[in-house]
């Protein structure tokens, strides 16, 4: 990339829209992530019973989709600190290739000449103020999902990430994890309930964007 204006490039990547949240969760546009809390039917009759929550049976049903890095059956500990660690140490971390190639100076003026150490410090300062790590936190999806705990990513958007200010950290990529969803059809004693697989989108990358 060329000059600081490269930091102002808008990257707005769309993802396919989804369906109804009660039936199946699919990837939604990046600006709509993370997924909002689902409004559940309040009647506990629509909750799975104890015999429906046998872990061995549900693990077998979910199969290879079970990802212990992003889902948990019991109350998990704190989410890993990858986002916080990245935020704290990004100035010392290896600079991305596009930033290492950055030409310092005004867009139409002469190139700014700096010593190797001074240039690296300037680039590290830019990286520290424009990098957008993903911050993870565990979220309880409720008893009608299995596993019920998901490690959800978020983009920190409390302050601008661009120079000059005006852009913010936003989701640009997502991955989907397969969960089991307790789904009931019919009413009262005539209803039929079972576990069905659903796709749950998670933020996997944040970038400084318009």
């Amino acid at each position: 990339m060329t000059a600081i204006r490269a930091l102002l490039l808008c990257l707005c990547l769309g993802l396919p829209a989804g369906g109804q949240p009660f039936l199946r969760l699919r990837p939604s546009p990046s600006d709509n992530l993370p997924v909002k809390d689902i409004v559940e039917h309040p009647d506990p009759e629509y909750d799975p019973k104890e015999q429906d929550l046998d872990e061995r049976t549900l693990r077998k049903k979910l199969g290879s989709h079970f990802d212990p890095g992003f889902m948990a059956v019991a109350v998990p500990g704190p989410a890993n600190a990858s986002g916080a660690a990245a935020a704290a140490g990004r100035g010392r971390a290896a600079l991305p290739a596009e930033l290492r190639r950055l030409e310092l100076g005004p867009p139409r003026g002469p190139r700014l000449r700096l010593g190797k150490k001074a240039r690296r410090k300037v680039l590290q300062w830019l990286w520290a103020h424009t990098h957008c790590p993903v911050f993870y936190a565990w979220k309880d999806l409720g008893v009608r999902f299995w596993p019920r705990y998901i490690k959800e990513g978020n983009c920190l958007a409390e302050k601008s990430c661009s120079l000059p200010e005006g852009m913010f950290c936003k989701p640009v990529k997502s991955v989907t994890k397969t969960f089991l969803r307790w789904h009931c059809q019919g009413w009262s004693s005539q209803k039929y309930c079972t576990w069905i697989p659903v796709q749950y989108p998670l933020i996997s990358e944040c970038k400084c964007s318009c």
Side-chain angles (χ1 to χ4, degrees), residues 2-9 102-105 107 126 163-164:
T2 58
I4 295 180
R5 66 176 179 272
L7 299 175
L8 307 180
L9 183 64
L102 186 66
E103 295 181 3
L104 299 176
L126 287 173
L163 299 170

Side-chain angles (χ1 to χ4, degrees), residues 166-177:
M167 298 167 64
F168 295 88
C169 293
K170 293 185 178 182
V172 291
K173 288 184 180 179
S174 69
V175 295
T176 57
K177 299 295 178 181

Side-chain angles (χ1 to χ4, degrees), residues 66-68 70-76 138 147-151 179:
F66 185 85
D67 185 348
F70 284 90
M71 53 186 71
V73 177
V75 179
W138 286 102
R148 67 179 289 172
Y149 298 98
I150 185 171
K151 191 170 71 174
F179 285 73

Side-chain angles (χ1 to χ4, degrees), residues 11-80:
L11 300 174
C12 303
L13 305 182
L15 296 173
Q20 296 178 358
F22 288 111
L23 299 180
R24 185 172 294 273
L25 296 169
R26 297 176 180 173
S28 56
S30 293
D31 286 346
N32 291 340
L33 293 180
V35 174
K36 295 181 179 180
D37 292 341
I38 298 173
V39 180
E40 298 278 17
H41 195 295
D43 191 342
E45 283 296 317
Y46 290 92
D47 291 345
K49 305 299 185 285
E50 185 177 353
Q51 63 268 23
D52 301 314
L53 294 169
D54 180 69
E55 182 175 342
R56 185 175 180 179
T57 301
L58 294 177
R59 276 184 179 269
K60 185 176 180 180
K61 188 175 183 67
L62 191 58
S64 61
H65 293 296
F66 185 85
D67 185 348
F70 284 90
M71 53 186 71
V73 177
V75 179
N80 68 46

